[in-house]
């Protein structure tokens, strides 16, 4: 047996003179069990993009397409409608990434207000592109922002496990009476 292999804790196998590692050692060869596997192509890339980035971008893309649809409702055709959609995509994507980036440092109510203002302002502006009056567009945006505020506040309060600052008002834990468990 090789003296270097003996020094590193390996022992000789009984057949064909191969050297095997001790039990419990991890193998670092690619393709072995325990080595992380990456899927090729877009399926492998989907695991690398965090939701903090992908969700605002997907939402901004949907909002840009909705803006194109809304400007077509008013009668705007072709290039100008595409420019409105591109501007809506870029601005809402940038603002969405900013809100998603800083949401972990915000209080629950502040975060809900940020989502409400962002959503209400975007929908109010997009509603005005269809040829509606300014006052009607402002009222629609304010209503949608208030709805988003209530919904996001509800979601943030009921999913306290994900809260960056812990529970808003911690509740006392309920004691349950359990029988002792045998330890042998």
């Amino acid at each position: 047996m090789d003296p270097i292999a003996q020094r590193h804790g390996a022992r000789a196998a009984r057949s064909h003179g191969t050297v095997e590692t001790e039990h419990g050692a991890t193998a670092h060869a690619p393709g072995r069990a325990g080595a992380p596997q990456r899927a090729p192509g877009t399926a492998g890339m989907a695991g690398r993009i965090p939701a903090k980035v992908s969700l605002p971008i997907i939402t901004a893309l949907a909002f840009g397409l909705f803006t194109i649809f809304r400007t077509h409702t008013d009668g705007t055709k072709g290039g100008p409608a595409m420019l409105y959609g591109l501007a809506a995509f870029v601005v809402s994507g940038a603002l969405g990434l900013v809100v998603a980036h800083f949401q972990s440092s915000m209080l629950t109510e502040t975060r809900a207000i940020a989502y409400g203002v962002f959503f209400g302002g975007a929908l109010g502006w997009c509603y005005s592109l269809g040829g509606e009056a300014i006052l009607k567009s402002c009222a629609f945006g304010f209503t949608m922002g208030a709805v988003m505020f209530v919904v996001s506040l509800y979601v943030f309060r009921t999913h306290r496990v994900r809260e960056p600052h812990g529970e808003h008002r911690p509740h006392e834990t309920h004691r349950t009476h359990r029988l002792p468990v045998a330890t042998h």
Side-chain angles (χ1 to χ4, degrees), residues 58-161:
I58 291 170
T59 306
L61 180 64
F63 183 66
L65 293 173
F66 180 68
T67 303
I68 293 172
F69 169 76
R70 191 73 181 145
T71 54
H72 276 286
T73 306
D74 185 37
T76 307
K77 301 290 182 198
M82 293 295 241
L83 287 177
Y84 274 118
L86 181 65
F89 168 70
V90 170
V91 171
S92 65
L95 290 175
L97 287 172
V98 167
V99 169
H101 178 73
F102 289 109
Q103 78 176 355
S104 62
S105 64
M106 294 180 193
L107 295 173
T108 304
E109 292 80 11
T110 309
R111 189 171 14 156
I113 288 171
Y115 278 103
V117 166
F118 180 55
F119 186 74
L123 282 186
W125 173 75
C126 195
Y127 190 71
S128 72
L129 291 177
E132 304 297 332
I134 297 296
L135 188 60
K136 191 174 181 182
S137 299
C138 290
F140 181 75
F142 182 75
T143 304
M144 289 293 110
V147 168
M148 180 58 130
F149 169 73
V150 170
V151 168
S152 60
L153 188 63
Y154 173 77
V155 168
F156 296 149
R157 288 277 177 99
T158 57
H159 295 85
R160 294 175 187 217
V161 175

